[in-house]
Amino acid sequence: MSHNRINVGIVGGTGYTGIELLRLLALHPFVRLSVITSRAEAGRPVSNLFPSLRGHLDLVFTAPNDDLLHQCDLVFFATPNGVAMQSVVSLLENNVRVIDLAADFRLKDQMIWEQWYQQAHVCPDVLDRAVYGLPEVNRVLIKNAQLVANPGCYPTAVQLGLLPLMEKGLIHDEIIADCKSGVSGAGRKASIGTALSEVSESITAYCVDGHRHLPEIKQGLAAMTGAEVGLTFVPHLMPMIRGIHATMYVKTSAPAAIGVDFQALYDNRYKDEPFVDVLPKGSHPDTRNVKGSNECRIAIHQPQQGNTLVILAVIDNLVKGAAGQAVQNLNIMFGFDETTGLNHIALVP
Amino acid sequence: MSHNRINVGIVGGTGYTGIELLRLLALHPFVRLSVITSRAEAGRPVSNLFPSLRGHLDLVFTAPNDDLLHQCDLVFFATPNGVAMQSVVSLLENNVRVIDLAADFRLKDQMIWEQWYQQAHVCPDVLDRAVYGLPEVNRVLIKNAQLVANPGCYPTAVQLGLLPLMEKGLIHDEIIADCKSGVSGAGRKASIGTALSEVSESITAYCVDGHRHLPEIKQGLAAMTGAEVGLTFVPHLMPMIRGIHATMYVKTSAPAAIGVDFQALYDNRYKDEPFVDVLPKGSHPDTRNVKGSNECRIAIHQPQQGNTLVILAVIDNLVKGAAGQAVQNLNIMFGFDETTGLNHIALVP
Amino acid sequence: MSHNRINVGIVGGTGYTGIELLRLLALHPFVRLSVITSRAEAGRPVSNLFPSLRGHLDLVFTAPNDDLLHQCDLVFFATPNGVAMQSVVSLLENNVRVIDLAADFRLKDQMIWEQWYQQAHVCPDVLDRAVYGLPEVNRVLIKNAQLVANPGCYPTAVQLGLLPLMEKGLIHDEIIADCKSGVSGAGRKASIGTALSEVSESITAYCVDGHRHLPEIKQGLAAMTGAEVGLTFVPHLMPMIRGIHATMYVKTSAPAAIGVDFQALYDNRYKDEPFVDVLPKGSHPDTRNVKGSNECRIAIHQPQQGNTLVILAVIDNLVKGAAGQAVQNLNIMFGFDETTGLNHIALVP
Amino acid sequence: MSHNRINVGIVGGTGYTGIELLRLLALHPFVRLSVITSRAEAGRPVSNLFPSLRGHLDLVFTAPNDDLLHQCDLVFFATPNGVAMQSVVSLLENNVRVIDLAADFRLKDQMIWEQWYQQAHVCPDVLDRAVYGLPEVNRVLIKNAQLVANPGCYPTAVQLGLLPLMEKGLIHDEIIADCKSGVSGAGRKASIGTALSEVSESITAYCVDGHRHLPEIKQGLAAMTGAEVGLTFVPHLMPMIRGIHATMYVKTSAPAAIGVDFQALYDNRYKDEPFVDVLPKGSHPDTRNVKGSNECRIAIHQPQQGNTLVILAVIDNLVKGAAGQAVQNLNIMFGFDETTGLNHIALVP
């Protein structure tokens, strides 16, 4: 199928989500990147900030400019939390569709959002119109959405790992999600805490008492089951660049779970999903085999045939956990084949 | 206090546990390393195999030699599983005390041992005489032991992390232990699976359906509570050399747990332990701050004041998880100050 | 331009060069991978050995099979040194073109080859017919070659870094090439020497007294200048997976070098090369910005305006230093656009 | 030998040089750490900033305080360049001896210092009184020095690698020093350039056109030979925390070099040095075998018996390249055995 290219703009784009989005869009056959805005980098060639793009992208950062953005078919926000909500209304009024890679529109409940993000929301009315951009759950809504809230990295891995069980109501009691992430998840910024000499050769948990992705995951799981879910979510920082490994522990003691073939349940649920790969029984997915690709790989275990299931889910936090999923959403929104521009094979070794 | 040096021998010692034991013993003021045996390396200077020891240790590997070992006060086995049990009886009969850093004497139940280690045990009679060498639990028994079974790395972190709760009977229901280890835990051997190009920049769970440390941990926890304990234990491989981070999830719904100040419980339990450091409330221990030291650091969290406790425990798998704990046991057995030769400060950064 | 797909076979392919070749060929629009042979892995799906290829490549390793290979238009050898020379004559006689990614046909002088590779060459007559596959030097010869000897990784970086100077005769005196490589250059094999715990957090030189790439580089440089060249080549092992950084030191005291604008010389020499990128004056190329891409990036410095030039050249050892260059040669041999299937943007971060 | 403890103060000490100095001094038997000053961290326990020191050091940062410093026998400056020179005169006048770990007193020529450090020197008169603290060269002067300028990390490795040749006048022509350093050499500070996601899995040269250690090395080499020396020095950033590997290339064509046994020359020169270890012929030192130790390891090669010597020298940049050498200087200055508090064995693996 052949398509005309759509006009795409990016606001921000100077972080790791931004460079990954640029890597994917620069080779997308149906996208014309027409504008990228950054107050800090205005006038600088993108390939000067990100030398990996030399020869692949001939674009210059411009100062924020509504006129240019209004001419786009789609605008991505790859900005810190709290930026997109300043501009989205104006874009929507001009019939520009929007995908926000930050968290401004991920939570439906304004109060919870303001509590976790520690600021007032400037356009709470828009929260209802935003579609949570997890294609495996919301594909139909995404297709017609004007505004897509691209999921967080941890929430993507955890929700995909639990979706088949939640939909069938097979989990009761509390869920444990022990998650491990590469350092790129902390963003591209000057900080001692992400220096190689500080985080290399070390592991640590962080935000055990509460991480912003907790309410996002709880909201997603509740939508799958129709009821609130108990969740303990503990993120850990890993000495590597990319990758998330979510290890989830759930009890199968719900009556409905008796006799269920969990492997078959997962196989069936995801058999038509282009980017979710359920591994054969007994497998242990690793993050390197999805590095640079948009895949989520899942394995389900039932140790010693007990009543605790262990689900392992891995993604590349910058691809399926951010920019790749955003491009997947773009493809859905504009009727392109969902895998367009996303057929990368993981870079191994 | 001044002591005469004791004569110490090592069987094996060509792996990572071995080199770490040599690093510690070479500077131990009350130890004379008199013999180290290795069939494969007989005749080779130890410092030729391990150049870090050049100038610090003037010892040559000798072929296995019972006469030399019988002259020792203490012999360490730093050998693969199944080796120590071939020789221990003869040493004990000659009044040589033994610390086995492998798993031959860690389990009390011969059948369980044979099931998990897939071989017949050649001296099951000795299992009862072996003392499990976790000083924080068994200090008095260790003092007089002829044979000490040095704990595994994961079991050390998990048991120390849970000990205060288990002793008080504050846990009911199943325990989750999600553990992360550096690659040195896999030992020093030629294998594709531990090559830098395979394990760097990646994380993976392994042995989800059953790891040999599971029965060891369950035995230890049961001894603390006097009853069998439900445990799901999932180890993960981390892209780094040293360090274990154990993240434990337990329910506090036992009636006895109502109103307990968990921080105070941990502080009190460990206040006199030289190598267990309970961090202040809200802390997140990291492995780098114990790298090269014999410390175990622990923090206890109760996210959102819910009924799930999250306990974080970190050790250096080669020190408190192996060689350092073995030297701590040696100190106890021979009446030396328990910290002798173990006052290393972690190498940071 | 549209092309029919050519039939391509691979012999070997179970190492890192192999998986990289598979990553590139699986998405090459004009290639049909019809056979991959491996004695050790016969019967095993390729995507089982290399899980990153799940869903991208539906091929099974077959036992060595001349009939299948003879039906190919092109066969790659991704085998250890000394294997390709056993089979090449028969393939050439059957009009199958060959690209050898190992060293069997890289040296023109049989005696030198046998001295460095410590074995007899079984088809020395073929050495003359082999074209050294460095497109920037031999593009025209490659186009019509039946047998291409794909260059080594270090030789690619060093030769591209020195080519403009050598061609103009601007170097006299001895050349220093101080080269640094990621561990994947050592291949995919069980070995203590490449274990993460051995090579992570460390650097070391190796083979200072002589590395097999020395005669290959010297032969290449001599061909550029028409005279033998003095070269000291020291490789170093780096604690990372991919990437080569070659730092070259040359004297500019040749009379011809007076007044030469070296930056302009490099810019001009490479301005039409699709995979060589000369960076602006003052730049320091890094390996991460070519990770996963087929680019060679070069910068040229003249510290303190002295008479020593410092040339910095970086490649991904598995792409431009191996599989990517092999695909580039395939494109040239079959008249495809040279960049077909090679437009990957480096994976950053 | 038994000594009274000397009173030691530290100014600064919040960087990597600082924490390493604290690690070494906390266990030094003849040192009492009585004061550590930091404007930014005043009032904060040192072990709160550096948790590895919990239980080992009971000291609190105080605001800068001349009175406290004047009561010390020795004060270390572990501060940014340009800080020590503000306070040294006053300390010297109060008979406090000083070791500056920064660069303020390393260069004898004020103009060169001001050119490379881009600031005016506030006490140029003191430059002559400062002793360059490389014990292998200046041991006698250090013993009686009031002010010691502790060498830089690269200069330590390069000078120790070349010393035996320079002293004998065996080098003519230009010297190449290709140096590789771990990221901790860049210091502990918030910066994108040292983030794990930026520097891990990558190598790059930097400051090829001129690095501040160039004049320091040239001054040191000139002092060894009595004549100026041509030097090209290129530093590279390595994806690891600690370690410097210096690879030096020199010509042996000086008449005096004919027939010299270079291995014997090095062996003899360093045979009484406690911290320089000349490896056997054919060796390749690696940085991991000196990690955490004060050793410099050196190997000398003459590839293909040509007229280029390759000298390999490795150190831990934070120990022999900074804090360890400073403690070695302290030991010399106060008449302690030179190895006191410095007998650490490298942490391997």
Side-chain angles (χ1 to χ4, degrees):
Chain A
M1 194 176 358
S2 163
H3 294 274
N4 288 328
R5 288 176 183 257
I6 58 171
N7 273 321
V8 169
I10 298 177
V11 179
T14 62
Y16 293 140
T17 298
I19 183 178
E20 189 66 359
L21 194 57
L22 291 165
R23 180 179 76 95
L24 299 174
L25 294 179
L27 300 178
H28 194 292
F30 308 140
V31 164
R32 180 187 309 106
L33 257 179
S34 47
V35 56
I36 183 166
T37 72
S38 162
R39 206 174 303 273
E41 303 290 353
R44 186 174 183 184
V46 173
S47 66
N48 180 276
L49 180 66
F50 296 131
S52 57
L53 297 169
R54 273 175 68 91
H56 296 284
L57 189 68
D58 212 21
L59 204 63
V60 175
F61 286 106
T62 64
N65 181 323
D66 281 353
D67 286 349
L68 286 174
L69 295 176
H70 288 169
Q71 294 163 29
C72 291
D73 298 294
L74 175 74
V75 167
F76 290 100
F77 282 84
T79 45
N81 297 323
V83 173
M85 65 181 179
Q86 311 288 342
S87 312
V88 154
V89 172
S90 148
L91 287 167
L92 296 179
E93 284 171 352
N94 282 271
N95 294 316
V96 181
R97 301 171 85 177
V98 171
I99 297 176
D100 178 25
L101 286 92
D104 293 13
F105 302 99
R106 289 184 194 156
L107 300 183
K108 291 298 172 196
D109 185 317
Q110 178 187 358
M111 280 183 55
I112 294 179
W113 192 90
E114 294 183 343
Q115 169 198 337
W116 285 91
Y117 290 90
Q118 293 289 303
Q119 54 186 307
H121 203 290
V122 304
C123 55
D125 297 351
V126 181
L127 289 175
D128 270 349
R129 297 166 53 194
V131 173
Y132 187 70
L134 194 61
E136 293 76 7
V137 173
N138 287 334
R139 185 169 282 113
V140 175
L141 292 172
I142 293 165
K143 191 166 179 52
N144 300 306
Q146 293 307 106
L147 170 57
V148 166
N150 211 58
C153 50
Y154 288 124
T156 296
V158 174
Q159 290 176 84
L160 291 178
L162 295 173
L163 178 60
L165 293 168
M166 302 305 291
E167 283 179 341
K168 298 283 185 187
L170 299 181
I171 300 180
H172 99 288
D173 206 343
E174 190 128 320
I175 297 168
I176 307 289
D178 186 293
C179 295
K180 300 95 178 161
S181 172
V183 180
S184 64
R188 182 174 173 276
K189 60 189 177 213
S191 118
I192 289 180
T194 55
L196 181 138
S197 300
E198 299 286 318
V199 292
S200 177
E201 280 296 306
S202 191
I203 346 176
T204 185
Y206 64 101
C207 292
V208 174
D209 294 320
H211 182 284
R212 287 168 171 180
H213 285 173
L214 176 68
E216 181 181 341
I217 300 172
K218 290 185 77 164
Q219 170 184 283
L221 298 182
M224 294 174 196
T225 57
E228 200 169 336
V229 172
L231 173 71
T232 299
F233 162 59
V234 175
H236 299 73
L237 192 62
M238 297 293 111
M240 61 185 209
I241 300 174
R242 287 173 179 244
I244 281 181
H245 188 293
T247 314
M248 287 152 285
Y249 302 87
V250 302
K251 290 287 173 55
T252 58
S253 38
I258 298 173
V260 171
D261 178 338
F262 297 106
Q263 179 73 30
L265 174 72
Y266 274 67
D267 285 340
N268 285 329
R269 177 58 180 84
Y270 287 128
K271 67 178 189 297
D272 295 328
E273 284 297 339
F275 293 115
V276 182
D277 184 6
V278 178
L279 299 188
K281 208 162 184 173
S283 298
H284 299 92
D286 51 11
T287 61
R288 73 187 198 117
N289 277 303
V290 298
K291 187 168 55 177
S293 94
N294 197 47
E295 280 176 72
C296 175
R297 293 193 170 179
I298 299 175
I300 182 158
H301 290 256
Q302 190 168 9
Q304 287 93 49
Q305 282 62 56
N307 64 356
T308 298
L309 292 181
V310 180
I311 300 111
L312 315 171
V314 298
I315 58 170
D316 183 322
N317 56 305
L318 296 180
V319 192
K320 184 63 177 168
Q325 186 144 268
V327 173
Q328 187 180 355
N329 282 323
L330 171 154
N331 287 337
I332 295 170
M333 291 164 83
F334 288 87
F336 308 142
D337 182 289
E338 201 164 324
T339 65
T340 309
L342 291 173
N343 63 345
H344 302 78
I345 299 174
L347 194 68
V348 174
Chain B
M1 193 177 356
S2 162
H3 294 273
N4 288 328
R5 289 179 182 255
I6 59 171
N7 273 321
V8 170
I10 298 177
V11 179
T14 61
Y16 292 139
T17 298
I19 182 177
E20 190 67 359
L21 195 56
L22 292 164
R23 179 177 77 96
L24 299 174
L25 294 179
L27 300 178
H28 194 293
F30 308 141
V31 164
R32 180 188 310 107
L33 257 178
S34 48
V35 56
I36 182 165
T37 72
S38 161
R39 207 175 302 273
E41 303 290 351
R44 186 174 183 185
V46 173
S47 67
N48 180 276
L49 180 65
F50 296 131
S52 57
L53 297 169
R54 274 175 68 91
H56 296 282
L57 189 67
D58 213 21
L59 204 63
V60 174
F61 286 105
T62 64
N65 181 324
D66 281 353
D67 285 351
L68 287 173
L69 295 176
H70 288 170
Q71 294 162 31
C72 292
D73 298 294
L74 174 74
V75 168
F76 290 101
F77 282 85
T79 44
N81 297 322
V83 173
M85 66 181 178
Q86 311 290 340
S87 312
V88 154
V89 173
S90 148
L91 287 167
L92 297 179
E93 285 169 354
N94 282 272
N95 293 316
V96 181
R97 300 171 86 177
V98 171
I99 298 178
D100 178 25
L101 286 92
D104 293 13
F105 302 99
R106 289 184 192 155
L107 300 184
K108 292 297 172 196
D109 185 319
Q110 178 189 355
M111 278 184 57
I112 294 179
W113 192 91
E114 295 184 341
Q115 169 197 338
W116 284 90
Y117 290 91
Q118 294 287 304
Q119 53 187 307
H121 202 291
V122 303
C123 55
D125 298 350
V126 181
L127 290 175
D128 270 348
R129 297 164 55 194
V131 173
Y132 188 70
L134 193 61
E136 292 77 8
V137 173
N138 287 333
R139 183 169 282 113
V140 175
L141 292 173
I142 293 165
K143 191 167 179 51
N144 300 305
Q146 294 307 107
L147 170 58
V148 167
N150 211 57
C153 50
Y154 288 123
T156 296
V158 173
Q159 289 176 86
L160 292 177
L162 296 172
L163 178 60
L165 294 168
M166 302 305 292
E167 284 178 340
K168 298 284 185 187
L170 298 180
I171 299 180
H172 97 288
D173 205 343
E174 190 129 318
I175 298 168
I176 306 289
D178 186 292
C179 295
K180 299 94 179 162
S181 172
V183 180
S184 64
R188 182 175 174 273
K189 61 188 177 212
S191 114
I192 289 180
T194 55
L196 181 138
S197 301
E198 300 286 317
V199 293
S200 177
E201 281 295 307
S202 191
I203 347 175
T204 185
Y206 64 100
C207 292
V208 174
D209 295 319
H211 181 283
R212 288 168 172 181
H213 285 173
L214 176 68
E216 182 180 342
I217 300 171
K218 291 186 78 163
Q219 170 185 284
L221 299 182
M224 295 173 194
T225 57
E228 199 169 337
V229 172
L231 173 70
T232 299
F233 163 58
V234 175
H236 299 73
L237 191 62
M238 296 292 112
M240 60 186 211
I241 300 174
R242 287 172 179 245
I244 280 182
H245 187 294
T247 314
M248 287 152 285
Y249 303 87
V250 302
K251 290 287 172 55
T252 60
S253 38
I258 299 172
V260 171
D261 178 338
F262 297 106
Q263 179 73 29
L265 173 73
Y266 274 67
D267 285 341
N268 285 330
R269 177 57 180 86
Y270 286 128
K271 67 178 188 299
D272 295 327
E273 283 298 338
F275 293 117
V276 182
D277 184 6
V278 179
L279 300 188
K281 208 164 183 171
S283 298
H284 299 92
D286 51 12
T287 61
R288 74 187 197 117
N289 277 302
V290 297
K291 187 169 54 180
S293 96
N294 197 47
E295 280 175 73
C296 174
R297 293 194 167 177
I298 298 175
I300 182 159
H301 291 255
Q302 191 169 8
Q304 286 93 49
Q305 280 62 56
N307 65 357
T308 298
L309 292 180
V310 180
I311 301 110
L312 314 171
V314 298
I315 59 170
D316 182 323
N317 56 306
L318 296 179
V319 193
K320 184 63 175 167
Q325 186 143 270
V327 173
Q328 187 179 355
N329 282 324
L330 171 154
N331 287 338
I332 295 169
M333 291 164 83
F334 288 87
F336 308 142
D337 183 288
E338 201 165 322
T339 65
T340 309
L342 291 173
N343 63 346
H344 303 78
I345 299 175
L347 193 68
V348 174
Chain C
M1 192 174 359
S2 163
H3 294 274
N4 288 328
R5 287 178 183 257
I6 59 170
N7 273 320
V8 169
I10 298 177
V11 179
T14 62
Y16 293 139
T17 298
I19 182 177
E20 189 67 359
L21 195 57
L22 291 164
R23 179 177 77 95
L24 299 175
L25 293 180
L27 300 178
H28 194 293
F30 309 142
V31 163
R32 180 186 311 107
L33 258 178
S34 47
V35 56
I36 183 166
T37 71
S38 162
R39 206 174 303 271
E41 303 290 353
R44 186 175 183 185
V46 173
S47 66
N48 179 276
L49 180 66
F50 296 131
S52 57
L53 297 169
R54 274 175 68 91
H56 296 283
L57 189 68
D58 212 22
L59 203 63
V60 173
F61 285 106
T62 64
N65 180 325
D66 280 353
D67 285 350
L68 286 173
L69 295 176
H70 288 170
Q71 294 162 29
C72 292
D73 298 295
L74 175 74
V75 167
F76 290 101
F77 282 84
T79 44
N81 297 323
V83 174
M85 66 181 179
Q86 311 290 341
S87 311
V88 154
V89 172
S90 148
L91 287 167
L92 296 179
E93 285 171 353
N94 282 271
N95 293 316
V96 181
R97 300 170 86 177
V98 170
I99 297 177
D100 178 25
L101 286 92
D104 293 13
F105 301 99
R106 289 184 192 154
L107 300 183
K108 292 297 173 195
D109 185 317
Q110 178 188 358
M111 279 183 58
I112 294 179
W113 191 90
E114 295 184 341
Q115 169 198 337
W116 284 91
Y117 290 90
Q118 294 288 306
Q119 52 187 308
H121 202 290
V122 302
C123 55
D125 297 350
V126 181
L127 290 175
D128 271 347
R129 296 166 53 194
V131 173
Y132 188 70
L134 193 61
E136 293 77 7
V137 173
N138 287 334
R139 185 168 282 113
V140 174
L141 292 173
I142 292 165
K143 192 166 179 50
N144 300 305
Q146 293 307 105
L147 170 58
V148 166
N150 211 57
C153 50
Y154 288 124
T156 296
V158 174
Q159 289 176 84
L160 292 178
L162 295 173
L163 178 61
L165 293 168
M166 302 306 291
E167 283 178 342
K168 298 283 186 187
L170 299 180
I171 300 179
H172 99 288
D173 207 342
E174 191 129 319
I175 297 167
I176 307 288
D178 186 292
C179 296
K180 299 95 178 164
S181 172
V183 180
S184 64
R188 181 174 176 275
K189 61 188 175 211
S191 115
I192 289 181
T194 55
L196 181 138
S197 300
E198 299 287 317
V199 293
S200 177
E201 281 296 305
S202 191
I203 347 176
T204 185
Y206 64 101
C207 292
V208 174
D209 294 320
H211 182 285
R212 287 169 172 181
H213 285 173
L214 176 68
E216 181 181 340
I217 300 172
K218 291 185 76 164
Q219 171 185 284
L221 298 182
M224 295 174 196
T225 56
E228 199 169 337
V229 172
L231 172 70
T232 299
F233 162 60
V234 175
H236 299 73
L237 192 62
M238 297 291 112
M240 61 186 210
I241 301 173
R242 287 172 179 245
I244 281 182
H245 187 294
T247 314
M248 287 152 284
Y249 303 87
V250 302
K251 290 286 174 54
T252 58
S253 38
I258 299 173
V260 171
D261 178 338
F262 296 106
Q263 180 74 29
L265 173 73
Y266 274 67
D267 285 340
N268 285 329
R269 177 58 179 85
Y270 287 127
K271 67 176 188 298
D272 296 326
E273 283 298 338
F275 293 117
V276 182
D277 184 6
V278 178
L279 299 187
K281 208 162 184 172
S283 299
H284 298 92
D286 50 13
T287 60
R288 74 187 198 117
N289 278 302
V290 298
K291 187 169 54 179
S293 94
N294 197 47
E295 280 175 73
C296 174
R297 294 193 168 178
I298 298 175
I300 183 158
H301 290 255
Q302 190 168 10
Q304 286 92 49
Q305 282 62 57
N307 64 357
T308 298
L309 292 181
V310 180
I311 300 112
L312 315 171
V314 298
I315 58 170
D316 182 323
N317 56 305
L318 296 180
V319 193
K320 184 63 177 169
Q325 186 143 270
V327 173
Q328 187 179 356
N329 282 324
L330 171 155
N331 287 337
I332 296 170
M333 291 164 83
F334 288 87
F336 308 143
D337 183 288
E338 201 164 324
T339 65
T340 309
L342 292 173
N343 63 344
H344 303 78
I345 299 175
L347 194 68
V348 174
Chain D
M1 193 177 358
S2 162
H3 295 274
N4 288 328
R5 288 177 183 257
I6 59 171
N7 273 320
V8 169
I10 298 177
V11 179
T14 62
Y16 292 138
T17 298
I19 183 177
E20 189 67 359
L21 195 57
L22 291 164
R23 179 177 78 96
L24 299 175
L25 294 179
L27 300 178
H28 194 292
F30 308 141
V31 163
R32 180 187 310 106
L33 256 179
S34 48
V35 57
I36 183 166
T37 71
S38 162
R39 206 175 302 273
E41 304 289 352
R44 185 173 184 185
V46 173
S47 67
N48 179 276
L49 180 66
F50 296 131
S52 57
L53 297 169
R54 274 175 67 90
H56 296 283
L57 188 69
D58 212 20
L59 204 64
V60 174
F61 286 106
T62 65
N65 180 323
D66 281 353
D67 285 351
L68 286 174
L69 295 176
H70 289 169
Q71 294 162 29
C72 292
D73 298 295
L74 175 73
V75 168
F76 290 101
F77 282 85
T79 45
N81 296 323
V83 173
M85 65 181 180
Q86 311 289 341
S87 311
V88 155
V89 172
S90 149
L91 287 167
L92 296 179
E93 285 170 352
N94 282 271
N95 294 315
V96 182
R97 300 171 86 177
V98 171
I99 298 177
D100 178 26
L101 286 92
D104 294 14
F105 303 99
R106 290 184 192 155
L107 300 184
K108 292 299 173 194
D109 185 318
Q110 178 188 356
M111 278 183 57
I112 294 179
W113 192 91
E114 295 184 340
Q115 169 198 336
W116 284 92
Y117 291 90
Q118 293 287 306
Q119 53 187 307
H121 202 290
V122 303
C123 56
D125 296 352
V126 181
L127 289 175
D128 270 348
R129 296 165 54 194
V131 173
Y132 188 70
L134 193 60
E136 293 77 5
V137 173
N138 286 334
R139 183 169 283 113
V140 175
L141 292 172
I142 293 165
K143 192 166 179 50
N144 300 305
Q146 292 307 106
L147 169 59
V148 166
N150 211 57
C153 50
Y154 288 124
T156 296
V158 173
Q159 289 176 86
L160 291 177
L162 295 172
L163 177 60
L165 293 168
M166 303 305 291
E167 284 179 340
K168 297 285 186 185
L170 298 181
I171 299 180
H172 99 289
D173 206 342
E174 191 129 319
I175 297 168
I176 306 289
D178 186 292
C179 295
K180 299 96 180 163
S181 172
V183 179
S184 64
R188 182 175 174 275
K189 61 188 176 211
S191 116
I192 288 180
T194 55
L196 181 138
S197 300
E198 300 287 317
V199 292
S200 177
E201 281 294 307
S202 191
I203 347 175
T204 185
Y206 64 101
C207 292
V208 174
D209 294 320
H211 181 285
R212 286 167 172 183
H213 286 172
L214 177 68
E216 181 180 341
I217 300 171
K218 290 185 77 164
Q219 171 185 284
L221 298 182
M224 296 174 195
T225 57
E228 199 169 336
V229 172
L231 173 70
T232 300
F233 163 58
V234 175
H236 299 73
L237 192 62
M238 296 292 111
M240 61 185 210
I241 300 174
R242 285 171 180 246
I244 280 182
H245 187 293
T247 314
M248 287 152 286
Y249 302 87
V250 303
K251 289 286 173 56
T252 59
S253 38
I258 298 172
V260 171
D261 178 338
F262 297 106
Q263 179 74 29
L265 173 72
Y266 273 68
D267 285 341
N268 285 330
R269 177 57 180 85
Y270 287 127
K271 68 177 187 300
D272 295 327
E273 283 297 338
F275 293 116
V276 182
D277 184 5
V278 179
L279 299 188
K281 206 163 185 172
S283 299
H284 299 92
D286 50 13
T287 61
R288 74 188 196 117
N289 277 302
V290 298
K291 186 168 55 179
S293 95
N294 198 46
E295 279 175 73
C296 174
R297 293 195 168 176
I298 298 175
I300 182 159
H301 290 255
Q302 189 168 10
Q304 288 94 48
Q305 281 63 56
N307 64 356
T308 298
L309 292 181
V310 180
I311 301 111
L312 314 171
V314 298
I315 58 170
D316 182 322
N317 56 306
L318 297 179
V319 193
K320 184 62 176 169
Q325 187 144 270
V327 172
Q328 188 179 355
N329 282 322
L330 171 154
N331 287 337
I332 296 170
M333 291 165 83
F334 287 87
F336 308 143
D337 182 288
E338 201 165 323
T339 64
T340 309
L342 291 173
N343 64 345
H344 302 78
I345 299 175
L347 193 68
V348 174

